[in-house]
Amino acid sequence: MSPARGRWRDRAIAALGLTAIWVLLWGSFTPLTMVGGALVAVVVLTVFPLPAVTYAGRIHPLGVLRFAGRFAKDLVVASVQVSSLAFRFGHVPRSAVIAVPLKVPSDLGLTLTAEAVSLVPGSLIVEADRERGVLYVHVLGVRDAAGADRFRRDVLDLERRIVQAFGSPAERRAIKEPPT
């Protein structure tokens, strides 16, 4: 595929995504909301052009199912943990900021991992070092170094599931390499 054709394809996908978000925000699927969403998408993409993001991977349905199932479980478990911390009177929850060096520091992988981590209650991305591929995460309920190591392994496991769902062959090979 030529670079120009690839750019148009990427813009069309972004416009479709923005249009879908517009329709969802309005809460009605009508021709008027579709046309309005398409117009807003074209204006947004013209005024705020997106940087080129290369996506060499493909969607792996089984990996997406594994990611979605485990992500749903993580959401439920973390919600229960955070609510139990909130209702413990007289207890001051401990927290930590933990650096997590990712194994596959591509822009898309870093972004997807950071978004998934931030969506789980009790964790929040403080900073993302794009050049080194490191996420700095504020985490509730971490008491000691062992808890920090456990959280770091959980984030790397989440990254592995994301790469298995959406990664390129090179990224999928990289997550199978032993840690350095």
Side-chain angles (χ1 to χ4, degrees), residues 98-123:
I98 301 170
V100 183
L102 300 179
K103 293 182 93 174
V104 182
S106 68
D107 285 347
L108 185 61
L110 184 107
T111 302
L112 291 175
T113 303
E115 290 296 328
V117 168
S118 286
L119 287 172
V120 174
S123 60

Side-chain angles (χ1 to χ4, degrees), residues 96-102 110 114 117-118 123-130 132-139 151 155:
V97 175
I98 301 170
V100 183
L102 300 179
L110 184 107
V117 168
S118 286
S123 60
L124 180 70
I125 300 297
V126 176
E127 184 179 348
D129 184 344
R130 178 178 173 211
R132 293 186 354 203
V134 178
L135 294 177
Y136 295 91
V137 189
H138 180 268
V139 187
F151 180 79
V155 171

Side-chain angles (χ1 to χ4, degrees), residues 86-101:
F87 289 112
R88 272 193 215 159
F89 297 107
H91 176 269
V92 178
R94 301 202 49 171
S95 63
V97 175
I98 301 170
V100 183

Side-chain angles (χ1 to χ4, degrees), residues 33-173:
T33 56
M34 292 290 293
V35 171
L39 288 174
V40 168
V42 168
V43 168
V44 166
L45 291 173
T46 302
V47 174
F48 305 107
L50 296 172
V53 175
T54 56
Y55 178 62
R58 61 176 251 242
I59 296 173
H60 305 276
L62 188 57
V64 171
L65 287 174
R66 285 185 188 129
F67 166 71
R70 177 64 190 269
F71 185 70
K73 177 186 171 230
D74 289 346
L75 284 175
V76 171
V77 169
S79 296
V80 169
Q81 290 171 341
V82 169
S83 62
S84 71
L85 280 174
F87 289 112
R88 272 193 215 159
F89 297 107
H91 176 269
V92 178
R94 301 202 49 171
S95 63
V97 175
I98 301 170
V100 183
L102 300 179
K103 293 182 93 174
V104 182
S106 68
D107 285 347
L108 185 61
L110 184 107
T111 302
L112 291 175
T113 303
E115 290 296 328
V117 168
S118 286
L119 287 172
V120 174
S123 60
L124 180 70
I125 300 297
V126 176
E127 184 179 348
D129 184 344
R130 178 178 173 211
E131 292 170 3
R132 293 186 354 203
V134 178
L135 294 177
Y136 295 91
V137 189
H138 180 268
V139 187
L140 283 177
V142 174
R143 294 182 188 96
D144 54 13
D149 288 338
R150 192 169 36 256
F151 180 79
R152 204 173 280 115
R153 282 191 307 273
D154 289 346
V155 171
L156 291 174
D157 190 43
L158 172 66
E159 177 196 27
R160 182 184 53 75
R161 287 192 305 275
I162 288 172
V163 169
Q164 287 177 340
F166 305 106
S168 68
E171 291 171 337
R172 291 168 66 102
R173 281 191 301 275

Side-chain angles (χ1 to χ4, degrees), residues 6-22:
R7 280 193 299 273
W8 278 106
R9 184 200 60 182
D10 292 345
R11 288 181 182 161
I13 290 170
L16 285 173
L18 288 172
T19 302
I21 290 169
W22 180 265

